[in-house]
Amino acid sequence: MKYEVVPIDETFPEYVREHEVQLREAGLIKSGVVTLQPVVAPSAPILSGVPNLSKKHWTVTACVSTKDRYATTLPLCISAIATQTRKPDKLVIYDDGEQVDLHTISPFEGLLKMCGELKIPYEIFRTPRKGQVVNHQHALDTCEHDLLWRIDDDCIAMPDCLERLLNTFRDHGHGGEQDSIGAVAGLVLHPGAINAPPDFLDGSLKDVERGMNLQWFSWNGGPREVGHLYSSFLINVQAARKSGGYPRELSVVSHREETIMSHQMFRAGFKLVVDPRAVTWHLRESTGGIRSFDDQSLWEHDEQIFQSYLKEWGEKDNSPTKLVVLDCGIGDHFAFKSILPQLKAKHTDKELCLAVCYPNVFDGEGLKLISIADARNMLGQRYDSANLYKWCWEKAWDRPLTEAMLEFWG
Amino acid sequence: MSKIVIAPYAAKLRSGNRNPKNYPYWVELIQRLNANGHEVVQIGAAGEELIEGTSERIIGWPFSKLRDVINNADLWISVDSWLPHFCHCERLKSGVVIWGKSSPQVWGYPDNENLFVSTEHFRPFQFQHWETEPYDPNVFPPVMQVVWAVERKLKASRKPAYAGIY
């Protein structure tokens, strides 16, 4: 921890500035021989034309892009932002939904008044309804503060989340590295499914190919540097602008937008940090948001764009993963093991990943094994489509189980 | 005297109810096998009820040791549980499987001796879970049908004392 004497300037809270004389007399503000220029850590690179971020108080705009969640998670999200131990300096809401005047409906009427009482200025945009990318890009382009805290509208940040993110921004590495940090994220946890991360998760884009993300897991330890971020995180505005911002070619569902945007910052040389002490709960609301859209071609369009980015980045050499979910009895695990050689022969171009209840059945096979809970996290709403029994039921399957397995996973 | 390994129980149900795949006549079956001069060894998981008449109980052993137990036995008898799948996967000797409401056509292997009373007892939806399935002892083959199948299988598996040219 570094201690420095700095002058009271406009970045200090209003109370301190108004009571500077009394606080100095009380010995709570120390005087020293200082210059009026801000302190610069000699090793910290300064981006050209960019405000020096090596200071002690950074301003934050909280940004929420929302669609059709007035009656579900949006009030919870806003309430969590307003009750942070370290309040954001502004709240911006992009309404892609009904665009009703929120001052006239409950509970927003009260929540927005609460923001007023807590001295959090807010702004609500009625958008052209072109999706999250357009909204987040607008927030990035117009942000007047140092940092932009983006939060999904079905996420609930723990009260100390922003404070912890800012502490990590300040202290990561040896401290004073803020100019090299692109974004800081916390954990984005799905209630009821919190586990330690599998060993093979390393925060790189390979995790995306596996359908997993380090932020979904919890670990005892310090922050980790990663190659991409998910859902909700604190962005260094200048770093994001310098890196190109969001991929505007995505569709209105904006699938993979934060992965592409954050990885672009990573490739531009900025660090992405995940701190397990900053926690946001992701309720994965089943209505509203991108779940308002059921046109699969939008997701396919965005996935193709993502794949083209991967190719451009030279990340496309990774073998795709073949996930097998064995949410069944130990006997079925042995039945699957008996057809494993045939399955491997069919999928030589893929990496087999098994979600199992009995990992010891596969001891010595050298296979990637994950838990059923991890598979649920990975697949989300697609989990049922990975259920062999459900498939057999629907087909009224009456042939041997091993044949069903070969057909289902072949 | 032959050594016969039995795996008498299917997986425990979360409800605590009796698994509809569990054979109801094990005690009588083991008495018959003992009377025929066979030694019966029970294998299974911790917490399973021990059946009277077995000479040895092997509970909670690792798979590598269970492989040796099966290899050293003359035959195994099971209900529709993990053991037939384990033996098929590990390419161990075939055995006798006692069926009730589950169908050997879906869950079984043709190299085993699959015993059932009638296909009419098989559940119409073979992939439904077992938690709410009522238990019916009448769907299982009688004890003597199992005994005859065991003797038949043992006879077929006995190697000649000497094979060669005199």
Side-chain angles (χ1 to χ4, degrees), chain A residues 98-142:
Chain A
E98 291 175 59
Q99 298 178 353
V100 172
D101 182 358
L102 293 183
H103 297 92
T104 63
I105 57 173
S106 173
F108 298 99
E109 184 193 353
L111 281 173
L112 295 174
K113 280 183 184 169
M114 194 172 106
C115 287
E117 294 285 349
L118 294 169
K119 297 195 173 24
I120 302 174
Y122 60 87
E123 197 168 3
I124 302 171
F125 288 98
R126 291 191 173 105
T127 68
R129 298 194 179 99
K130 291 189 176 173
Q132 290 192 79
V133 164
V134 172
N135 299 339
H136 285 308
Q137 186 62 46
H138 182 270
L140 195 58
D141 291 339
T142 59

mmCIF file of all heavy atoms in Angstrom, chain A residues 98-142:
data_model
loop_
_atom_site.group_PDB
_atom_site.id
_atom_site.type_symbol
_atom_site.label_atom_id
_atom_site.label_comp_id
_atom_site.label_asym_id
_atom_site.label_seq_id
_atom_site.Cartn_x
_atom_site.Cartn_y
_atom_site.Cartn_z
ATOM 1 N N GLU A 98 -40.463 -1.583 -23.334
ATOM 2 C CA GLU A 98 -41.697 -0.830 -23.558
ATOM 3 C C GLU A 98 -41.483 0.679 -23.532
ATOM 4 O O GLU A 98 -42.289 1.434 -24.058
ATOM 5 C CB GLU A 98 -42.720 -1.187 -22.473
ATOM 6 C CG GLU A 98 -43.250 -2.597 -22.569
ATOM 7 C CD GLU A 98 -44.155 -2.908 -21.385
ATOM 8 O OE1 GLU A 98 -45.163 -2.189 -21.228
ATOM 9 O OE2 GLU A 98 -43.858 -3.842 -20.623
ATOM 10 N N GLN A 99 -40.414 1.121 -22.888
ATOM 11 C CA GLN A 99 -40.052 2.543 -22.818
ATOM 12 C C GLN A 99 -41.169 3.376 -22.165
ATOM 13 O O GLN A 99 -41.464 4.492 -22.594
ATOM 14 C CB GLN A 99 -39.686 3.075 -24.209
ATOM 15 C CG GLN A 99 -38.458 2.340 -24.759
ATOM 16 C CD GLN A 99 -38.052 2.751 -26.152
ATOM 17 O OE1 GLN A 99 -38.749 3.507 -26.818
ATOM 18 N NE2 GLN A 99 -36.898 2.259 -26.597
ATOM 19 N N VAL A 100 -41.736 2.797 -21.121
ATOM 20 C CA VAL A 100 -42.696 3.535 -20.300
ATOM 21 C C VAL A 100 -41.908 4.499 -19.422
ATOM 22 O O VAL A 100 -40.758 4.225 -19.055
ATOM 23 C CB VAL A 100 -43.480 2.522 -19.428
ATOM 24 C CG1 VAL A 100 -44.344 3.216 -18.409
ATOM 25 C CG2 VAL A 100 -44.301 1.593 -20.305
ATOM 26 N N ASP A 101 -42.509 5.627 -19.075
ATOM 27 C CA ASP A 101 -41.866 6.556 -18.155
ATOM 28 C C ASP A 101 -41.751 5.870 -16.794
ATOM 29 O O ASP A 101 -42.742 5.654 -16.098
ATOM 30 C CB ASP A 101 -42.704 7.833 -18.043
ATOM 31 C CG ASP A 101 -42.047 8.857 -17.126
ATOM 32 O OD1 ASP A 101 -40.978 8.569 -16.547
ATOM 33 O OD2 ASP A 101 -42.615 9.953 -16.968
ATOM 34 N N LEU A 102 -40.532 5.525 -16.406
ATOM 35 C CA LEU A 102 -40.331 4.743 -15.179
ATOM 36 C C LEU A 102 -40.738 5.526 -13.930
ATOM 37 O O LEU A 102 -41.006 4.924 -12.890
ATOM 38 C CB LEU A 102 -38.867 4.300 -15.065
ATOM 39 C CG LEU A 102 -38.400 3.297 -16.121
ATOM 40 C CD1 LEU A 102 -36.956 2.882 -15.869
ATOM 41 C CD2 LEU A 102 -39.286 2.073 -16.155
ATOM 42 N N HIS A 103 -40.805 6.853 -14.027
ATOM 43 C CA HIS A 103 -41.210 7.640 -12.862
ATOM 44 C C HIS A 103 -42.672 7.404 -12.511
ATOM 45 O O HIS A 103 -43.120 7.770 -11.430
ATOM 46 C CB HIS A 103 -41.014 9.147 -13.132
ATOM 47 C CG HIS A 103 -39.590 9.520 -13.354
ATOM 48 N ND1 HIS A 103 -39.017 9.567 -14.601
ATOM 49 C CD2 HIS A 103 -38.614 9.844 -12.471
ATOM 50 C CE1 HIS A 103 -37.751 9.917 -14.485
ATOM 51 N NE2 HIS A 103 -37.466 10.080 -13.203
ATOM 52 N N THR A 104 -43.410 6.807 -13.447
ATOM 53 C CA THR A 104 -44.854 6.654 -13.228
ATOM 54 C C THR A 104 -45.230 5.254 -12.811
ATOM 55 O O THR A 104 -46.405 4.966 -12.605
ATOM 56 C CB THR A 104 -45.619 6.999 -14.518
ATOM 57 O OG1 THR A 104 -45.228 6.055 -15.535
ATOM 58 C CG2 THR A 104 -45.319 8.405 -14.972
ATOM 59 N N ILE A 105 -44.268 4.341 -12.741
ATOM 60 C CA ILE A 105 -44.638 2.977 -12.367
ATOM 61 C C ILE A 105 -43.844 2.511 -11.161
ATOM 62 O O ILE A 105 -42.704 2.911 -10.933
ATOM 63 C CB ILE A 105 -44.463 1.973 -13.538
ATOM 64 C CG1 ILE A 105 -43.020 1.971 -14.074
ATOM 65 C CG2 ILE A 105 -45.430 2.273 -14.661
ATOM 66 C CD1 ILE A 105 -42.805 0.878 -15.090
ATOM 67 N N SER A 106 -44.536 1.674 -10.394
ATOM 68 C CA SER A 106 -43.921 1.105 -9.200
ATOM 69 C C SER A 106 -43.080 -0.110 -9.618
ATOM 70 O O SER A 106 -43.479 -0.845 -10.513
ATOM 71 C CB SER A 106 -45.027 0.694 -8.231
ATOM 72 O OG SER A 106 -44.502 0.003 -7.141
ATOM 73 N N PRO A 107 -41.951 -0.392 -8.998
ATOM 74 C CA PRO A 107 -41.352 0.340 -7.891
ATOM 75 C C PRO A 107 -40.342 1.391 -8.323
ATOM 76 O O PRO A 107 -39.633 1.956 -7.503
ATOM 77 C CB PRO A 107 -40.640 -0.780 -7.118
ATOM 78 C CG PRO A 107 -40.174 -1.702 -8.200
ATOM 79 C CD PRO A 107 -41.230 -1.650 -9.278
ATOM 80 N N PHE A 108 -40.291 1.643 -9.656
ATOM 81 C CA PHE A 108 -39.251 2.540 -10.162
ATOM 82 C C PHE A 108 -39.412 3.960 -9.642
ATOM 83 O O PHE A 108 -38.426 4.689 -9.462
ATOM 84 C CB PHE A 108 -39.246 2.514 -11.694
ATOM 85 C CG PHE A 108 -38.926 1.149 -12.224
ATOM 86 C CD1 PHE A 108 -39.941 0.305 -12.653
ATOM 87 C CD2 PHE A 108 -37.630 0.691 -12.252
ATOM 88 C CE1 PHE A 108 -39.653 -0.963 -13.123
ATOM 89 C CE2 PHE A 108 -37.335 -0.574 -12.719
ATOM 90 C CZ PHE A 108 -38.343 -1.406 -13.154
ATOM 91 N N GLU A 109 -40.687 4.344 -9.437
ATOM 92 C CA GLU A 109 -40.930 5.683 -8.903
ATOM 93 C C GLU A 109 -40.135 5.873 -7.613
ATOM 94 O O GLU A 109 -39.408 6.858 -7.436
ATOM 95 C CB GLU A 109 -42.433 5.841 -8.638
ATOM 96 C CG GLU A 109 -42.815 7.224 -8.180
ATOM 97 C CD GLU A 109 -44.237 7.271 -7.630
ATOM 98 O OE1 GLU A 109 -44.970 6.251 -7.731
ATOM 99 O OE2 GLU A 109 -44.607 8.319 -7.099
ATOM 100 N N GLY A 110 -40.261 4.893 -6.723
ATOM 101 C CA GLY A 110 -39.547 4.951 -5.448
ATOM 102 C C GLY A 110 -38.049 4.788 -5.616
ATOM 103 O O GLY A 110 -37.253 5.472 -4.968
ATOM 104 N N LEU A 111 -37.657 3.872 -6.503
ATOM 105 C CA LEU A 111 -36.219 3.609 -6.693
ATOM 106 C C LEU A 111 -35.500 4.832 -7.231
ATOM 107 O O LEU A 111 -34.383 5.156 -6.809
ATOM 108 C CB LEU A 111 -36.031 2.440 -7.661
ATOM 109 C CG LEU A 111 -36.218 1.035 -7.078
ATOM 110 C CD1 LEU A 111 -36.162 -0.003 -8.190
ATOM 111 C CD2 LEU A 111 -35.191 0.728 -6.008
ATOM 112 N N LEU A 112 -36.133 5.529 -8.168
ATOM 113 C CA LEU A 112 -35.466 6.698 -8.749
ATOM 114 C C LEU A 112 -35.412 7.841 -7.734
ATOM 115 O O LEU A 112 -34.428 8.597 -7.684
ATOM 116 C CB LEU A 112 -36.183 7.116 -10.032
ATOM 117 C CG LEU A 112 -36.095 6.081 -11.163
ATOM 118 C CD1 LEU A 112 -36.954 6.493 -12.359
ATOM 119 C CD2 LEU A 112 -34.644 5.858 -11.603
ATOM 120 N N LYS A 113 -36.454 7.932 -6.913
ATOM 121 C CA LYS A 113 -36.394 8.921 -5.823
ATOM 122 C C LYS A 113 -35.266 8.576 -4.863
ATOM 123 O O LYS A 113 -34.562 9.437 -4.344
ATOM 124 C CB LYS A 113 -37.723 8.955 -5.066
ATOM 125 C CG LYS A 113 -38.794 9.751 -5.753
ATOM 126 C CD LYS A 113 -40.075 9.811 -4.914
ATOM 127 C CE LYS A 113 -41.168 10.551 -5.682
ATOM 128 N NZ LYS A 113 -42.479 10.410 -5.042
ATOM 129 N N MET A 114 -35.124 7.266 -4.629
ATOM 130 C CA MET A 114 -34.048 6.795 -3.743
ATOM 131 C C MET A 114 -32.691 7.190 -4.314
ATOM 132 O O MET A 114 -31.787 7.621 -3.589
ATOM 133 C CB MET A 114 -34.154 5.271 -3.638
ATOM 134 C CG MET A 114 -33.358 4.648 -2.537
ATOM 135 S SD MET A 114 -33.804 2.893 -2.427
ATOM 136 C CE MET A 114 -32.377 2.141 -3.132
ATOM 137 N N CYS A 115 -32.524 7.046 -5.628
ATOM 138 C CA CYS A 115 -31.269 7.454 -6.273
ATOM 139 C C CYS A 115 -31.022 8.936 -6.028
ATOM 140 O O CYS A 115 -29.889 9.364 -5.774
ATOM 141 C CB CYS A 115 -31.322 7.161 -7.775
ATOM 142 S SG CYS A 115 -31.184 5.406 -8.170
ATOM 143 N N GLY A 116 -32.113 9.708 -6.099
ATOM 144 C CA GLY A 116 -31.977 11.127 -5.834
ATOM 145 C C GLY A 116 -31.498 11.394 -4.421
ATOM 146 O O GLY A 116 -30.605 12.201 -4.177
ATOM 147 N N GLU A 117 -32.118 10.693 -3.468
ATOM 148 C CA GLU A 117 -31.728 10.868 -2.059
ATOM 149 C C GLU A 117 -30.283 10.469 -1.836
ATOM 150 O O GLU A 117 -29.567 11.049 -1.023
ATOM 151 C CB GLU A 117 -32.630 9.997 -1.162
ATOM 152 C CG GLU A 117 -34.080 10.402 -1.129
ATOM 153 C CD GLU A 117 -34.315 11.646 -0.311
ATOM 154 O OE1 GLU A 117 -33.389 12.088 0.420
ATOM 155 O OE2 GLU A 117 -35.405 12.217 -0.414
ATOM 156 N N LEU A 118 -29.852 9.449 -2.562
ATOM 157 C CA LEU A 118 -28.479 8.948 -2.396
ATOM 158 C C LEU A 118 -27.487 9.714 -3.270
ATOM 159 O O LEU A 118 -26.323 9.353 -3.361
ATOM 160 C CB LEU A 118 -28.430 7.448 -2.736
ATOM 161 C CG LEU A 118 -29.213 6.554 -1.783
ATOM 162 C CD1 LEU A 118 -29.342 5.137 -2.349
ATOM 163 C CD2 LEU A 118 -28.562 6.519 -0.414
ATOM 164 N N LYS A 119 -27.991 10.767 -3.928
ATOM 165 C CA LYS A 119 -27.159 11.627 -4.773
ATOM 166 C C LYS A 119 -26.502 10.851 -5.907
ATOM 167 O O LYS A 119 -25.308 11.008 -6.177
ATOM 168 C CB LYS A 119 -26.119 12.373 -3.928
ATOM 169 C CG LYS A 119 -26.742 13.328 -2.917
ATOM 170 C CD LYS A 119 -25.759 14.286 -2.365
ATOM 171 C CE LYS A 119 -26.364 15.377 -1.484
ATOM 172 N NZ LYS A 119 -27.627 15.144 -0.847
ATOM 173 N N ILE A 120 -27.285 10.014 -6.543
ATOM 174 C CA ILE A 120 -26.820 9.318 -7.738
ATOM 175 C C ILE A 120 -27.600 9.889 -8.918
ATOM 176 O O ILE A 120 -28.780 9.551 -9.121
ATOM 177 C CB ILE A 120 -27.073 7.798 -7.637
ATOM 178 C CG1 ILE A 120 -26.381 7.215 -6.406
ATOM 179 C CG2 ILE A 120 -26.562 7.105 -8.905
ATOM 180 C CD1 ILE A 120 -26.702 5.751 -6.170
ATOM 181 N N PRO A 121 -26.968 10.767 -9.705
ATOM 182 C CA PRO A 121 -27.686 11.270 -10.876
ATOM 183 C C PRO A 121 -27.977 10.111 -11.828
ATOM 184 O O PRO A 121 -27.179 9.171 -11.925
ATOM 185 C CB PRO A 121 -26.695 12.254 -11.512
ATOM 186 C CG PRO A 121 -25.566 12.389 -10.555
ATOM 187 C CD PRO A 121 -25.593 11.242 -9.621
ATOM 188 N N TYR A 122 -29.104 10.178 -12.501
ATOM 189 C CA TYR A 122 -29.423 9.098 -13.421
ATOM 190 C C TYR A 122 -29.964 9.667 -14.718
ATOM 191 O O TYR A 122 -30.440 10.799 -14.775
ATOM 192 C CB TYR A 122 -30.427 8.114 -12.794
ATOM 193 C CG TYR A 122 -31.744 8.737 -12.415
ATOM 194 C CD1 TYR A 122 -32.794 8.848 -13.338
ATOM 195 C CD2 TYR A 122 -31.958 9.219 -11.129
ATOM 196 C CE1 TYR A 122 -33.995 9.426 -12.989
ATOM 197 C CE2 TYR A 122 -33.162 9.803 -10.766
ATOM 198 C CZ TYR A 122 -34.179 9.908 -11.702
ATOM 199 O OH TYR A 122 -35.379 10.483 -11.350
ATOM 200 N N GLU A 123 -29.881 8.831 -15.732
ATOM 201 C CA GLU A 123 -30.384 9.207 -17.052
ATOM 202 C C GLU A 123 -30.982 7.952 -17.677
ATOM 203 O O GLU A 123 -30.384 6.885 -17.626
ATOM 204 C CB GLU A 123 -29.221 9.726 -17.916
ATOM 205 C CG GLU A 123 -29.657 10.510 -19.130
ATOM 206 C CD GLU A 123 -28.498 11.260 -19.786
ATOM 207 O OE1 GLU A 123 -27.339 11.111 -19.325
ATOM 208 O OE2 GLU A 123 -28.753 11.971 -20.749
ATOM 209 N N ILE A 124 -32.163 8.086 -18.219
ATOM 210 C CA ILE A 124 -32.842 6.927 -18.823
ATOM 211 C C ILE A 124 -33.048 7.225 -20.300
ATOM 212 O O ILE A 124 -33.662 8.238 -20.661
ATOM 213 C CB ILE A 124 -34.199 6.672 -18.143
ATOM 214 C CG1 ILE A 124 -33.987 6.434 -16.642
ATOM 215 C CG2 ILE A 124 -34.878 5.455 -18.785
ATOM 216 C CD1 ILE A 124 -35.271 6.380 -15.851
ATOM 217 N N PHE A 125 -32.517 6.352 -21.144
ATOM 218 C CA PHE A 125 -32.625 6.544 -22.591
ATOM 219 C C PHE A 125 -33.710 5.650 -23.181
ATOM 220 O O PHE A 125 -33.751 4.446 -22.919
ATOM 221 C CB PHE A 125 -31.303 6.199 -23.276
ATOM 222 C CG PHE A 125 -30.222 7.204 -23.042
ATOM 223 C CD1 PHE A 125 -29.261 6.993 -22.070
ATOM 224 C CD2 PHE A 125 -30.156 8.365 -23.788
ATOM 225 C CE1 PHE A 125 -28.259 7.922 -21.839
ATOM 226 C CE2 PHE A 125 -29.159 9.297 -23.569
ATOM 227 C CZ PHE A 125 -28.204 9.083 -22.591
ATOM 228 N N ARG A 126 -34.563 6.241 -23.996
ATOM 229 C CA ARG A 126 -35.461 5.440 -24.831
ATOM 230 C C ARG A 126 -34.685 5.189 -26.123
ATOM 231 O O ARG A 126 -34.460 6.096 -26.896
ATOM 232 C CB ARG A 126 -36.760 6.195 -25.118
ATOM 233 C CG ARG A 126 -37.643 6.353 -23.897
ATOM 234 C CD ARG A 126 -39.018 6.854 -24.318
ATOM 235 N NE ARG A 126 -39.921 6.851 -23.175
ATOM 236 C CZ ARG A 126 -40.299 7.922 -22.513
ATOM 237 N NH1 ARG A 126 -39.877 9.118 -22.877
ATOM 238 N NH2 ARG A 126 -41.126 7.831 -21.477
ATOM 239 N N THR A 127 -34.295 3.968 -26.327
ATOM 240 C CA THR A 127 -33.347 3.654 -27.392
ATOM 241 C C THR A 127 -34.072 3.356 -28.701
ATOM 242 O O THR A 127 -35.292 3.188 -28.722
ATOM 243 C CB THR A 127 -32.545 2.405 -27.009
ATOM 244 O OG1 THR A 127 -33.466 1.290 -27.014
ATOM 245 C CG2 THR A 127 -31.926 2.535 -25.627
ATOM 246 N N PRO A 128 -33.304 3.246 -29.789
ATOM 247 C CA PRO A 128 -33.915 2.795 -31.048
ATOM 248 C C PRO A 128 -34.148 1.291 -31.084
ATOM 249 O O PRO A 128 -34.481 0.734 -32.118
ATOM 250 C CB PRO A 128 -32.880 3.216 -32.104
ATOM 251 C CG PRO A 128 -31.607 3.366 -31.383
ATOM 252 C CD PRO A 128 -31.923 3.706 -29.972
ATOM 253 N N ARG A 129 -33.950 0.622 -29.931
ATOM 254 C CA ARG A 129 -34.223 -0.829 -29.807
ATOM 255 C C ARG A 129 -33.386 -1.648 -30.792
ATOM 256 O O ARG A 129 -33.895 -2.546 -31.471
ATOM 257 C CB ARG A 129 -35.711 -1.140 -29.995
ATOM 258 C CG ARG A 129 -36.611 -0.503 -28.948
ATOM 259 C CD ARG A 129 -38.004 -1.134 -29.007
ATOM 260 N NE ARG A 129 -38.892 -0.567 -28.019
ATOM 261 C CZ ARG A 129 -39.792 0.383 -28.271
ATOM 262 N NH1 ARG A 129 -39.900 0.896 -29.489
ATOM 263 N NH2 ARG A 129 -40.591 0.839 -27.310
ATOM 264 N N LYS A 130 -32.099 -1.355 -30.831
ATOM 265 C CA LYS A 130 -31.237 -2.106 -31.732
ATOM 266 C C LYS A 130 -30.321 -3.065 -30.987
ATOM 267 O O LYS A 130 -29.383 -3.595 -31.559
ATOM 268 C CB LYS A 130 -30.418 -1.132 -32.587
ATOM 269 C CG LYS A 130 -31.269 -0.378 -33.581
ATOM 270 C CD LYS A 130 -30.437 0.404 -34.560
ATOM 271 C CE LYS A 130 -31.357 1.053 -35.591
ATOM 272 N NZ LYS A 130 -30.633 1.964 -36.471
ATOM 273 N N GLY A 131 -30.581 -3.256 -29.686
ATOM 274 C CA GLY A 131 -29.825 -4.273 -28.963
ATOM 275 C C GLY A 131 -28.753 -3.689 -28.069
ATOM 276 O O GLY A 131 -28.456 -2.499 -28.090
ATOM 277 N N GLN A 132 -28.149 -4.610 -27.287
ATOM 278 C CA GLN A 132 -27.193 -4.201 -26.253
ATOM 279 C C GLN A 132 -25.955 -3.540 -26.819
ATOM 280 O O GLN A 132 -25.406 -2.612 -26.204
ATOM 281 C CB GLN A 132 -26.739 -5.432 -25.477
ATOM 282 C CG GLN A 132 -27.788 -6.049 -24.597
ATOM 283 C CD GLN A 132 -27.159 -7.050 -23.670
ATOM 284 O OE1 GLN A 132 -26.561 -6.699 -22.672
ATOM 285 N NE2 GLN A 132 -27.282 -8.317 -24.021
ATOM 286 N N VAL A 133 -25.483 -4.010 -27.961
ATOM 287 C CA VAL A 133 -24.225 -3.476 -28.487
ATOM 288 C C VAL A 133 -24.355 -1.983 -28.746
ATOM 289 O O VAL A 133 -23.478 -1.189 -28.373
ATOM 290 C CB VAL A 133 -23.821 -4.222 -29.778
ATOM 291 C CG1 VAL A 133 -22.760 -3.444 -30.529
ATOM 292 C CG2 VAL A 133 -23.300 -5.607 -29.441
ATOM 293 N N VAL A 134 -25.454 -1.599 -29.372
ATOM 294 C CA VAL A 134 -25.660 -0.180 -29.678
ATOM 295 C C VAL A 134 -25.705 0.624 -28.377
ATOM 296 O O VAL A 134 -25.111 1.703 -28.273
ATOM 297 C CB VAL A 134 -26.953 -0.004 -30.498
ATOM 298 C CG1 VAL A 134 -27.303 1.460 -30.653
ATOM 299 C CG2 VAL A 134 -26.802 -0.663 -31.862
ATOM 300 N N ASN A 135 -26.399 0.067 -27.385
ATOM 301 C CA ASN A 135 -26.540 0.785 -26.109
ATOM 302 C C ASN A 135 -25.211 0.911 -25.386
ATOM 303 O O ASN A 135 -24.838 1.989 -24.905
ATOM 304 C CB ASN A 135 -27.559 0.063 -25.214
ATOM 305 C CG ASN A 135 -28.927 0.004 -25.840
ATOM 306 O OD1 ASN A 135 -29.249 0.799 -26.725
ATOM 307 N ND2 ASN A 135 -29.749 -0.941 -25.404
ATOM 308 N N HIS A 136 -24.494 -0.213 -25.294
ATOM 309 C CA HIS A 136 -23.209 -0.166 -24.576
ATOM 310 C C HIS A 136 -22.199 0.708 -25.300
ATOM 311 O O HIS A 136 -21.386 1.392 -24.663
ATOM 312 C CB HIS A 136 -22.647 -1.579 -24.396
ATOM 313 C CG HIS A 136 -23.354 -2.364 -23.333
ATOM 314 N ND1 HIS A 136 -23.542 -1.886 -22.062
ATOM 315 C CD2 HIS A 136 -23.945 -3.594 -23.365
ATOM 316 C CE1 HIS A 136 -24.203 -2.779 -21.338
ATOM 317 N NE2 HIS A 136 -24.462 -3.821 -22.104
ATOM 318 N N GLN A 137 -22.252 0.689 -26.619
ATOM 319 C CA GLN A 137 -21.325 1.534 -27.374
ATOM 320 C C GLN A 137 -21.638 2.999 -27.127
ATOM 321 O O GLN A 137 -20.729 3.830 -26.975
ATOM 322 C CB GLN A 137 -21.407 1.206 -28.871
ATOM 323 C CG GLN A 137 -20.370 1.943 -29.716
ATOM 324 C CD GLN A 137 -18.952 1.592 -29.338
ATOM 325 O OE1 GLN A 137 -18.622 0.423 -29.162
ATOM 326 N NE2 GLN A 137 -18.106 2.616 -29.185
ATOM 327 N N HIS A 138 -22.935 3.325 -27.062
ATOM 328 C CA HIS A 138 -23.334 4.708 -26.768
ATOM 329 C C HIS A 138 -22.828 5.123 -25.393
ATOM 330 O O HIS A 138 -22.310 6.236 -25.201
ATOM 331 C CB HIS A 138 -24.861 4.825 -26.849
ATOM 332 C CG HIS A 138 -25.359 6.234 -26.598
ATOM 333 N ND1 HIS A 138 -25.687 6.707 -25.342
ATOM 334 C CD2 HIS A 138 -25.577 7.265 -27.465
ATOM 335 C CE1 HIS A 138 -26.093 7.962 -25.439
ATOM 336 N NE2 HIS A 138 -26.033 8.337 -26.707
ATOM 337 N N ALA A 139 -22.964 4.221 -24.439
ATOM 338 C CA ALA A 139 -22.491 4.511 -23.081
ATOM 339 C C ALA A 139 -20.987 4.774 -23.089
ATOM 340 O O ALA A 139 -20.491 5.687 -22.429
ATOM 341 C CB ALA A 139 -22.822 3.346 -22.150
ATOM 342 N N LEU A 140 -20.280 3.975 -23.887
ATOM 343 C CA LEU A 140 -18.822 4.132 -23.962
ATOM 344 C C LEU A 140 -18.457 5.454 -24.643
ATOM 345 O O LEU A 140 -17.549 6.170 -24.219
ATOM 346 C CB LEU A 140 -18.267 2.950 -24.763
ATOM 347 C CG LEU A 140 -16.771 2.689 -24.698
ATOM 348 C CD1 LEU A 140 -16.329 2.463 -23.279
ATOM 349 C CD2 LEU A 140 -16.450 1.454 -25.551
ATOM 350 N N ASP A 141 -19.185 5.778 -25.689
ATOM 351 C CA ASP A 141 -18.874 6.992 -26.449
ATOM 352 C C ASP A 141 -19.160 8.251 -25.647
ATOM 353 O O ASP A 141 -18.474 9.267 -25.811
ATOM 354 C CB ASP A 141 -19.688 7.033 -27.750
ATOM 355 C CG ASP A 141 -19.244 5.973 -28.741
ATOM 356 O OD1 ASP A 141 -18.097 5.486 -28.625
ATOM 357 O OD2 ASP A 141 -20.049 5.613 -29.626
ATOM 358 N N THR A 142 -20.178 8.205 -24.810
ATOM 359 C CA THR A 142 -20.637 9.425 -24.142
ATOM 360 C C THR A 142 -20.228 9.504 -22.675
ATOM 361 O O THR A 142 -20.543 10.492 -22.010
ATOM 362 C CB THR A 142 -22.174 9.528 -24.221
ATOM 363 O OG1 THR A 142 -22.741 8.365 -23.598
ATOM 364 C CG2 THR A 142 -22.640 9.599 -25.665
#
